């Protein structure tokens, strides 16, 4: 399973690298403030069609089956987090050719995402460790609407693990971010 997942990720990345022609479209450096899981985010270009985003915030997360116990009903963990994501955009030229917005990296992407959570501020479960990590490939979209409203949605499988070595695969991770793009510098 892990080997198949790795082959899929490298195949997607190779395809994304050759999927666009050089047209003058480039990714932008963008500061953001996200509201659903409150965070400050910086997205910086790493190539003509790729970016690296890093976010630091305090937000909601659910419990992973092998890392939590004792919860009932709606499971929640509110804790500080760091979210790192390398994105490879594959449709910027197509969007530009159809006169659609590509500003502030508005496009579809595949990515590799790593998120870590720290000590809980509040929770209704017991965790096996105060720190956990999750990483894996995703597919997503991000858009800029109006003057500076930002939407990001991505989905993909992930492997999660804590500092005690407990871990497993979670088949579908979803992320939805709403926020505002700040002025580029």
């Amino acid at each position: 399973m892990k080997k198949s997942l790795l082959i899929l990720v490298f195949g997607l990345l190779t395809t994304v690298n050759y999927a666009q022609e050089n047209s003058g479209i480039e990714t932008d450096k963008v500061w953001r403030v996200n509201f659903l899981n409150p965070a400050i985010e910086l997205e910086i270009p790493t190539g003509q069609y790729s970016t690296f985003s890093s976010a630091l915030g305090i937000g909601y997360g659910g419990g992973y089956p092998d890392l939590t116990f004792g919860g009932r009903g709606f499971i929640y963990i509110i804790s500080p987090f760091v979210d790192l994501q390398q994105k490879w955009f594959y449709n910027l030229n197509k969007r530009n050719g159809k006169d659609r917005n590509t500003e502030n990296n508005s496009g579809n992407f595949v990515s590799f995402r790593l998120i870590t959570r720290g000590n809980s501020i509040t929770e209704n479960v017991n965790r096996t460790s105060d720190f956990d990590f999750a990483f894996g490939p995703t597919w997503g979209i991000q858009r800029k609407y109006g003057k500076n409203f930002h939407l990001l949605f991505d989905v993909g499988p992930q492997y999660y693990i804590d500092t005690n070595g407990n871990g497993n695969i979670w088949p579908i991770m979803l992320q939805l971010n709403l926020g505002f793009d700040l002025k580029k510098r």
Side-chain angles (χ1 to χ4, degrees):
M1 175 74 171
K2 290 180 189 177
K3 187 176 181 181
S4 298
L5 189 60
L6 225 52
I7 290 170
L8 176 65
V9 169
F10 287 123
L12 285 172
L13 297 180
T14 303
T15 303
V16 168
N17 277 339
Y18 294 104
Q20 301 192 56
E21 298 172 10
N22 191 358
S23 68
I25 302 291
E26 293 187 6
T27 53
D28 300 320
K29 177 180 176 182
V30 184
W31 282 95
R32 292 191 180 96
V33 176
N34 294 323
F35 295 110
L36 283 184
N37 274 324
I40 297 294
E41 178 183 356
L42 173 61
E43 186 170 7
I44 57 173
T46 57
Q48 185 175 7
Y49 301 113
S50 61
T51 62
F52 180 78
S53 68
S54 56
L56 177 64
I58 296 175
Y60 161 80
Y64 296 114
D66 299 299
L67 307 183
T68 58
F69 59 93
R72 292 178 179 240
F74 182 74
I75 304 295
Y76 66 88
I77 299 170
I78 297 176
S79 63
F81 67 88
V82 173
D83 191 350
L84 306 173
Q85 191 169 25
Q86 175 67 41
K87 301 173 188 169
W88 293 273
F89 294 91
Y90 63 86
N91 73 332
L92 296 180
N93 287 332
K94 183 177 179 182
R95 288 182 61 77
N96 189 52
K98 292 183 177 183
D99 291 327
R100 293 188 178 155
N101 186 14
T102 60
E103 188 177 3
N104 292 358
N105 310 321
S106 289
N108 299 2
F109 62 87
V110 292
S111 76
F112 185 79
R113 182 174 182 222
L114 167 70
I115 187 164
T116 182
R117 298 185 295 186
N119 291 334
S120 299
I121 295 171
T122 184
E123 63 190 1
N124 69 345
V125 295
N126 296 313
R127 294 169 68 190
T128 57
S129 173
D130 288 335
F131 292 92
D132 57 51
F133 307 87
F135 57 91
T138 68
W139 170 87
I141 64 169
Q142 68 180 20
R143 300 289 189 266
K144 176 188 173 214
Y145 294 106
K147 191 171 183 177
N148 63 354
F149 182 75
H150 174 76
L151 164 76
L152 177 137
F153 170 79
D154 69 352
V155 60
Q158 65 182 0
Y159 182 79
Y160 59 87
I161 190 167
D162 68 8
T163 55
N164 296 325
N166 303 311
N168 209 336
I169 293 176
W170 187 255
I172 299 178
M173 178 281 306
L174 297 171
Q175 175 182 207
L176 176 63
N177 270 332
L178 301 174
F180 290 100
D181 293 339
L182 304 175
K183 289 189 177 186
K184 296 182 275 185
R185 298 205 180 229

